[in-house]
Amino acid sequence: MSRIALGYTALLALALPTAHAAYSRHEVPASWPDAYPGKPSGDLSPDWQRYYEITTPLPNVTFDVPRSFAGNVPVGRENHPNNTLFFWAVEKENGSLTVGADEHSDKPWAVWLNGGPGASSLIGFATENGPFRVNPDSSVEKNNYSWSNLADYFWVDQPVGVGFATAESDGYAHDEDAVGNDFMGFLANLVKVFPSLAKRPLHLTGESYAGVYIPYIMKAYFSTPNPPVKIAKFAIGNGAIPSGLVFSVLPTLTVIETYPQLIGYDPEVYDYFREQEHRCGYDLNLTYPQQGGHFPTLNHIHPTLRSGHARRDELSARSRSDETSARLRALIHSIERGELGRRDDGAPAVKRDLSLRANGTVDPWYGCFLMDELVDYAVNYSQPWSVAHSRGKGFYPFDVSDALVSEVKPNPHTFLNDNQTRAAVHAPSSRQWAFRRPYPFLGDPQSDFNDPSELWPMAFLSELATNASAHGVSVVLYSGNGDSSSAHRGTEIVIQNTTFGGIQGFTRRPSTPWFDDNGERGGIVHQERNWTYVLVEDAGHLVPQMNPARGYVLAREFIFGTNQTGLVTDSGGSTTVVGGEVGSLAAPAIPAPPGIAVGSATTESTYTYPSRTIAAWESFLASATAGDVAVTGAAASPVAGQGAGNGAGRASGVRRAVWLSAVVVAALMAVGV
């Protein structure tokens, strides 16, 4: 398998056993928790703490690990006793999870969720922010940046049937509302085992498709008359909160401004993509505060020159999704063969320069799949991707700065399926652990990535924000600057489209720097009305894995801490921002470092364009974008048909349309986030 397929893991990058075809109604597998020695016979209670405690050694772990607990907990769904979620919990301090019901009421605890849908959160545990990391050779090393140093932490496999979570064949979640309800049932049972958790502030954290899970869990939480826990904050990294079109396609020009290396610092190519952005209606005008109401619905334009691709308005909701899925499957195969430059209609693999591209219209070859067009351009023309592509490597959307060939990523598959591990953590023997399985939502089990839920979370986020304000729940949204799969532009659109604290969006553009423990700028932070936005430089889609030190500072200061950097304050009619504002950081994009990692398996060097080329580009971009930075109070003037607002989160027909970049979805379908 080629590096492009391996690199698209977003959770790990070795090809691990997984099925890429969805289950039919008759093939959905059943699984159930095991009864290990010492299992109590009664209902869940503190008596179960000893049963769940990990007391036997883990393979290749040669250092002390904080006291941990693991196992399956029922979600309490009627007539489905084998529907469980699996947790692996690590104490911050010895005994901190087993204190009495009324103790540690001011001490936070936290949950981590990975995405997918269908990805195990043990990926986060074993490769991102858990107490140790499993290396590609299955060796294990201590992680000094574990988020369990900051709070008692639970990594939870969910929905039912994911990772080590179990489900009966007719018990998988119907849709995201069912996912949220199951999670509430899991929490209700979890606090029976660890009673202090009921009153302690819970921080619900996760990344990627957890940007769908967490809002739906919060929706269930606010709908529960007497919720079993006290959620104080939720934090989502590089989240799939808006429609796939908004987080994976619309930000294409921002990605270019972050990584102009993708177009070889060519102003003519930039102008071309900028025109296409406008023609597609992707050039949203973000103002502070946002004016003009919610963004209107995006009207996506499909390619018209490729065999098998009809115009969008000629397709029903179901046929659109099926046609898109077929296109993505074809792209996956071409990626795995290292043939991204070939066309799926049998046309010759001709490198199309700008003279062959659209002029004044939407390119009929790509339609408005601008991210696909950008990647195609990079692997054909721009070093080092064009060189790497010739060696079977394409483009790594989760960290654009990575152009390595055949890079080996962390692989916890062997570790987690080792019988010694499985016995220690009380894992079910009825299923093998897999980093991701296509999730068979029973509301629509016909094909992967067809979550039948009607709404993307951005469509109901203002309502959620109102409830959050009423219940004192804070919100943190963060993004890695190097991620093109869920680029930070999408997160910023989510914020400016959401009304919280009575105002739509932030009132000032984020432009306050924050600094890591080395005194280096870690990115941008902005805080208003209980909402925090953090941009993390030198990190991609998986912030805790790709830059663990900065990810740790992010968690310590802005998720669990009370750092006020970037906080907007108003005293006596005078508005100030803690930490100040830096004009150069108020731009739509912060350029990444000029070096792109190259090499085979590991970084051998970095490829950097000539300094004169970079200087000429910087001069050009400064002029080209001089009017792009919105000032406080400027009026928004959206183009007809553009936008990303409530309408973009609503499905046409019976389910959400799947308008993700084909490159991104190929990555997600290949390995899952």
Side-chain angles (χ1 to χ4, degrees):
M1 181 175 272
S2 68
R3 165 65 174 82
I4 191 81
L6 305 184
Y8 281 5
T9 59
L11 291 178
L12 56 150
L14 286 181
L16 304 181
T18 185
H20 292 301
Y23 306 111
S24 74
R25 289 185 184 271
H26 302 292
E27 296 173 334
V28 177
S31 54
W32 51 89
D34 284 21
Y36 282 88
K39 178 181 177 181
S41 58
D43 293 337
L44 292 170
S45 71
D47 292 340
W48 287 64
Q49 292 173 0
R50 181 62 180 171
Y51 173 70
Y52 285 124
E53 186 175 353
I54 299 173
T55 58
T56 58
L58 296 167
N60 299 326
V61 176
T62 59
F63 46 85
D64 291 335
V65 176
R67 191 166 70 145
S68 305
F69 303 81
N72 293 85
V73 170
V75 300
R77 205 193 307 173
E78 188 175 1
N79 298 322
H80 291 287
N82 290 324
N83 275 19
T84 72
L85 302 187
F86 181 87
F87 76 91
W88 193 327
V90 180
E91 290 186 326
K92 177 187 177 186
E93 301 167 352
N94 190 50
S96 55
L97 274 176
T98 55
V99 296
D102 296 321
E103 297 182 65
H104 285 196
S105 60
D106 61 338
K107 303 291 186 182
W109 67 289
V111 166
W112 175 266
L113 303 177
N114 280 98
S120 167
S121 296
L122 297 187
I123 292 295
F125 179 90
T127 73
E128 297 189 68
N129 53 9
F132 54 78
R133 292 192 173 197
V134 181
N135 296 316
D137 61 359
S138 293
S139 64
V140 180
E141 63 178 317
K142 184 177 182 180
N143 179 17
N144 293 322
Y145 299 108
S146 175
W147 290 16
S148 61
N149 296 335
L150 303 171
D152 293 329
Y153 235 105
F154 287 71
W155 287 260
V156 179
D157 274 348
Q158 66 90 48
V160 295
V162 167
F164 280 143
T166 61
E168 294 156 9
S169 59
D170 62 348
Y172 284 77
H174 183 276
D175 55 19
E176 294 295 343
D177 284 318
V179 170
N181 290 332
D182 279 351
F183 203 81
M184 286 297 106
F186 162 77
L187 291 174
N189 282 325
L190 186 68
V191 299
K192 295 177 183 177
V193 180
F194 303 103
S196 73
L197 300 182
K199 298 179 180 179
R200 294 168 57 184
L202 168 59
H203 291 55
L204 186 58
T205 63
E207 67 188 17
S208 194
Y209 204 80
V212 175
Y213 291 147
I214 290 176
Y216 272 94
I217 290 171
M218 294 304 304
K219 181 182 176 185
Y221 174 77
F222 292 134
S223 301
T224 301
N226 296 297
V229 295
K230 178 184 176 182
I231 297 180
K233 182 177 293 187
F234 67 86
I236 301 171
N238 297 86
I241 302 172
S243 69
L245 187 60
V246 174
F247 70 72
S248 77
V249 183
L250 181 150
T252 301
L253 198 70
T254 304
V255 172
I256 292 174
E257 292 173 355
T258 305
Y259 287 98
Q261 301 95 319
L262 290 167
I263 59 169
Y265 294 93
D266 190 326
E268 185 181 4
V269 179
Y270 176 85
D271 286 340
Y272 166 80
F273 275 101
R274 193 174 194 182
E275 180 199 30
Q276 291 297 296
E277 178 192 60
H278 177 72
R279 296 288 172 186
C280 292
Y282 295 165
D283 51 346
L284 301 186
N285 186 13
L286 303 188
T287 61
Y288 298 85
Q290 191 66 40
Q291 304 294 318
H294 294 296
F295 299 121
T297 301
L298 287 163
N299 295 318
H300 186 65
I301 301 174
H302 269 258
T304 58
L305 289 185
R306 303 198 213 185
S307 175
H309 290 271
R311 294 181 183 274
R312 176 178 178 179
D313 57 9
E314 296 171 355
L315 299 168
S316 68
R318 180 169 293 278
S319 63
R320 275 206 306 273
S321 185
D322 292 345
E323 181 265 348
T324 302
S325 296
R327 172 172 177 264
L328 298 178
R329 287 194 296 271
L331 182 63
I332 291 170
H333 293 317
S334 68
I335 287 172
E336 291 176 343
R337 293 192 301 267
E339 298 172 348
L340 186 60
R342 291 189 184 178
R343 308 305 179 187
D344 56 8
D345 63 353
V350 177
K351 292 183 178 181
R352 302 172 69 238
D353 63 23
L354 290 177
S355 66
L356 298 176
R357 294 180 185 246
N359 183 16
T361 61
V362 172
D363 189 320
W365 185 274
Y366 295 95
C368 287
F369 284 101
L370 299 189
M371 187 62 73
D372 296 353
E373 186 169 12
L374 173 60
V375 173
D376 210 347
Y377 187 92
V379 300
N380 275 290
Y381 298 112
S382 305
Q383 293 193 54
W385 294 278
S386 58
V387 175
H389 183 57
S390 69
R391 299 172 61 189
K393 161 72 167 69
F395 173 75
Y396 188 28
F398 303 114
D399 184 2
V400 180
S401 66
D402 176 3
L404 301 182
V405 177
S406 301
E407 183 180 7
V408 179
K409 292 282 189 178
N411 178 4
H413 184 267
T414 299
F415 172 83
L416 290 172
N417 281 308
D418 186 295
N419 287 335
Q420 183 180 346
T421 302
R422 295 166 71 91
V425 302
H426 317 104
S429 60
S430 55
R431 65 186 300 118
Q432 283 283 97
W433 180 87
F435 72 94
R436 178 180 177 271
R437 292 182 177 93
Y439 195 79
F441 285 101
L442 295 185
D444 184 10
Q446 298 305 309
S447 58
D448 193 16
F449 274 82
N450 283 328
D451 182 340
S453 307
E454 183 184 8
L455 302 177
W456 288 92
M458 190 167 76
F460 59 84
L461 208 59
S462 288
E463 179 182 355
L464 204 69
T466 299
N467 280 321
S469 296
H471 290 81
V473 177
S474 301
V475 179
V476 177
L477 303 181
Y478 67 89
S479 292
N481 195 43
D483 183 19
S484 69
S485 64
S486 302
H488 65 83
R489 177 72 168 178
T491 303
E492 292 160 4
I493 289 170
V494 165
I495 294 170
Q496 293 310 107
N497 191 66
T498 302
T499 298
F500 50 97
I503 302 172
Q504 184 176 333
F506 287 146
T507 62
R508 304 185 72 84
R509 189 177 196 108
S511 59
T512 302
W514 63 274
F515 297 89
D516 62 22
D517 287 342
N518 293 323
E520 299 177 348
R521 191 180 74 201
I524 295 173
V525 62
H526 190 81
Q527 306 189 65
E528 286 191 46
R529 310 185 312 279
N530 251 9
W531 278 55
T532 299
Y533 168 64
V534 184
L535 182 66
V536 185
E537 294 187 68
D538 296 329
H541 190 70
L542 311 176
V543 171
Q545 181 189 98
M546 296 175 172
N547 198 324
R550 284 190 181 167
Y552 187 78
V553 174
L554 156 72
R556 185 188 69 206
E557 300 298 319
F558 302 114
I559 297 178
F560 295 100
T562 58
N563 191 316
Q564 294 190 347
T565 302
L567 178 65
V568 176
T569 62
D570 192 343
S571 178
S574 176
T575 300
T576 59
V577 179
V578 177
E581 297 172 290
V582 178
S584 61
L585 299 181
I590 298 178
I596 302 297
V598 294
S600 179
T602 60
T603 301
E604 298 169 4
S605 62
T606 56
Y607 182 88
T608 304
Y609 280 76
S611 58
R612 295 176 66 180
T613 299
I614 297 174
W617 166 264
E618 291 173 346
S619 177
F620 158 77
L621 190 66
S623 175
T625 61
D628 285 358
V629 178
V631 296
T632 301
S637 53
V639 177
Q642 76 176 17
N646 287 7
R650 186 177 299 276
S652 301
V654 297
R655 64 186 178 190
R656 298 180 304 188
V658 187
W659 305 125
L660 281 75
S661 155
V663 172
V664 171
V665 179
L668 301 179
M669 293 179 73
V671 289
V673 252

